[in-house]
Amino acid sequence: MKEIEVKILEINVRETISKLKKLGAKKTFDGELVAFIYDFPDKRLKSEGKLLRVRKINDQAEFTFKSKLKKGKVKTNVEHQVNVDRFDSLHTILFSLGLKRKSYGNKHRVSFQLGKMHVDIDTCKGIPPYLEIEAPSSKELEKYVRKMGFRMDQTNSWTMRDVYKHYGKKL
């Protein structure tokens, strides 16, 4: 599946949720996420623009592989994701394959769905809240950015690591 998304930094959470509700968005999640990024010791996945992530959401685990297609104003990845019910076993398998845990992050996330658009509001310790908007095409993405009262020049295509770096934090 193709992932097309942007981030908007330093949002007002209350105003953003109000805008989403006025547009008819439905809340789909509100809770804590814990994510672990894995790579080989030689960092070959990172050097190839790939990411292997295990994320814990409530009692479930998401196992995600991303491969960067392009990074301009809009980030475009190929993303494959499966849900796994044995979080600890998945870590054991990855370690057994020679992968190492390279980073760890946690955040509070509130997610919404509006038509074809998916929106996440993320709050991380020591970082102002930010918005992530994902849509099926760049054109749809721009349409939803405007509908929410933002401009494309307020968006960026950063990764979570980029956001942390921007605020002088380590992931």
Side-chain angles (χ1 to χ4, degrees):
M1 173 178 132
K2 207 183 262 188
E3 174 189 59
I4 301 168
E5 68 181 27
V6 294
K7 286 181 177 57
I8 300 173
L9 303 180
E10 301 183 22
I11 63 160
N12 180 307
V13 173
R14 202 172 284 156
E15 284 179 15
T16 302
I17 290 173
S18 177
K19 286 179 192 177
L20 284 163
K21 286 180 178 179
K22 284 179 185 172
L23 290 169
K26 303 291 182 216
K27 186 189 291 186
T28 58
F29 178 76
D30 188 344
E32 299 301 313
L33 297 181
V34 178
F36 301 91
I37 306 300
Y38 285 86
D39 203 340
F40 293 97
D42 63 3
K43 300 180 183 177
R44 75 181 85 146
L45 294 177
K46 183 178 179 182
S47 69
E48 295 172 2
K50 297 175 181 175
L51 175 104
L52 192 59
R53 178 183 68 209
V54 177
R55 189 160 57 185
K56 188 171 186 178
I57 305 169
N58 296 325
D59 295 330
Q60 287 286 315
E62 283 180 354
F63 183 48
T64 305
F65 174 76
K66 293 185 182 192
S67 182
K68 191 183 309 179
L69 286 178
K70 69 178 183 179
K71 188 174 177 185
K73 190 65 177 167
V74 173
K75 181 172 66 171
T76 305
N77 293 319
V78 172
E79 179 180 81
H80 302 283
Q81 184 169 289
V82 294
N83 291 331
V84 181
D85 62 356
R86 306 232 358 237
F87 184 75
D88 294 331
S89 294
L90 184 54
H91 289 286
T92 301
I93 291 167
L94 295 172
F95 287 134
S96 298
L97 292 169
L99 291 145
K100 303 290 182 204
R101 192 177 292 160
K102 294 298 182 179
S103 64
Y104 158 85
N106 65 334
K107 58 186 159 187
H108 183 87
R109 173 170 279 180
V110 182
S111 300
F112 292 87
Q113 192 71 35
L114 176 61
K116 299 175 185 176
M117 177 182 72
H118 181 83
V119 176
D120 295 315
I121 298 170
D122 288 340
T123 306
C124 308
K125 186 177 179 181
I127 294 176
Y130 63 91
L131 183 68
E132 190 173 276
I133 303 173
E134 185 177 333
S137 70
S138 295
K139 187 176 180 179
E140 286 286 313
L141 186 76
E142 289 183 35
K143 178 177 106 178
Y144 284 118
V145 166
R146 284 191 306 276
K147 273 187 170 188
M148 291 186 60
F150 296 105
R151 301 178 318 274
M152 284 305 290
D153 65 355
Q154 293 175 285
T155 69
N156 65 60
S157 60
W158 291 353
T159 64
M160 183 70 179
R161 184 177 305 282
D162 295 330
V163 172
Y164 269 71
K165 187 177 177 182
H166 176 73
Y167 291 105
K169 307 283 183 186
K170 279 194 134 187
L171 185 60

